[in-house]
Amino acid sequence: MLFVVVAFLSGLGAQPVSELKPLKIFLLAGQSNMVGYTSVEWVQKNAQELVKPRDDVWCYWQRKCAPLAPGMGHKVGPELPFGHVVGDATDQPVLLCKFASGGTTLHEKWRPPSAVARAGGEIGFLYKNMIKKFYRILSDPGKFCPAYKGQGYELAGFIWFQGENDCFKEMWNHYEANLKDLIKDVRTACASPDLPIIIVQINDSGVWDKAGGGGPFVRAAQQKVAESDKNADWVNTKDLGEGYHYIDGDHVTIGRRIGSAMVHFVNKTAVTDPKAIQESRRNLDKLFYPGRGPLPPEPDVHLSDLKWNKGTAGWGGDPRINKSIEDRPLSIDDKPYAKGIGTHAESELEYPIEPTCERFVAIAGIDDEMGMRGVPSVVFQVMIDGKKLAESVVMKPQEVWHFDVKIPAGSKTLTLKVLEADSGTNSDHADWVQAGFVVKKE
């Protein structure tokens, strides 16, 4: 998960845009220790200087952006003290963007494109989601952060705090190469070859070192990669608590150490080219979703306004009309939809095809109500008269597929299937939205 922090000086809103200094944007990502496990109560008792919300540093986390303050997400993560350190070190506004998910591996769920090109596999869905959301923020910072007034921005650094789950199943053997690929690809996505990088070294918990066996190898790889890069540094945490999530208060110490490591980069002139970032975005869209066509038009006749011949869902009862399978508003990849069908794998929907129907169109994906619960993965299929005419790739959370299928003359029945992909049917909440028929025009 990635966390962008925007720092804004008091009273900046009253200044002309031409007088405002560019927004410094940091990207933060990793697994559960980047999410954070220090309690708000510990901060209130032991670090009162971090309690008052800042008006010059903002943070984006879990679809919300607000002034930096304790407990914006899951307890307190390293972003809180880090934001204070870098905010104090610069006279520019700061935005922190954080993306993190517990129990995840660089070898699989965060797997970057260069690792796939080098050694095979699939691009990790968490890597895709991080970059996609970061691009959305960069395309319109003011939409996500009210403090942004159009004065431009600088990409100031990437902080990576992950590695514990790569200590198992001999994934540690690939960590050094995967980490180099991650840094390379983040810099490419940011169109910033010298983007500063801070790597937080995992602790020496017995879990990683004894049960998993890979702790020493992952730590060595983290240090080696940082020390071989003139625009990178690493942070030691071996002297802190040995638990999964250290001990209460340790994430404050870690955040301060990250800030201290970043300070000597923070006021260097950052080369940020928005046009180059846009080009990187176009290239990555093709890389992330090969075979996906353009966004289809809205249907003339929505399936949600028709009666199905058959409607089944693998969990939760019957498929829902204009709601998710949990009866919430439909939403895929952070975008709400008013009309569609919410269901769950394994699912089958069957509709009659009228002679005037010439195309079936739809957007499909896993509903956002899942967040990062479970490990949903599904495949969407479109069948006409029993013949499969279109199929998505394996879809993970916050991924979108487009369907625009020509209906052969004389067709009688449309069947839509949602199939379990590679992780069982648990959590496979799937939506067909803006789904229906485009009819012949007279």
Side-chain angles (χ1 to χ4, degrees), residues 8-9 78 153 237 436:
F8 232 83
L9 299 174
Y153 63 81
T237 70

Side-chain angles (χ1 to χ4, degrees), residues 364-434:
I366 291 172
D367 195 277
D368 288 337
E369 69 188 2
M370 291 314 300
M372 289 299 149
R373 286 187 283 161
V375 195
S377 60
V378 302
V379 172
F380 294 88
Q381 291 183 347
V382 177
M383 306 181 72
I384 293 180
D385 291 342
K387 182 178 180 181
K388 183 173 68 177
L389 295 190
E391 181 178 70
S392 74
V393 298
V394 174
M395 304 295 290
K396 301 288 179 71
Q398 298 195 307
E399 298 184 339
V400 177
W401 198 256
H402 303 153
F403 289 98
D404 192 340
V405 180
K406 183 178 180 180
I407 299 174
S411 297
K412 301 298 184 184
T413 304
L414 168 74
T415 303
L416 305 179
K417 292 186 176 183
V418 181
L419 306 178
E420 180 274 327
D422 55 13
S423 60
T425 57
N426 184 41
S427 306
D428 286 349
H429 297 214
D431 297 338
W432 298 90
V433 298
Q434 290 185 192

Side-chain angles (χ1 to χ4, degrees), residues 37-39 42-43 46-47 76 81 240 245-256:
Y37 276 84
T38 285
S39 67
W42 188 96
V43 173
N46 300 285
V76 172
L240 302 177
H245 302 123
Y246 300 87
I247 62 173
D248 208 9
D250 278 353
H251 291 84
V252 170
T253 300
I254 294 167
R256 286 175 171 148

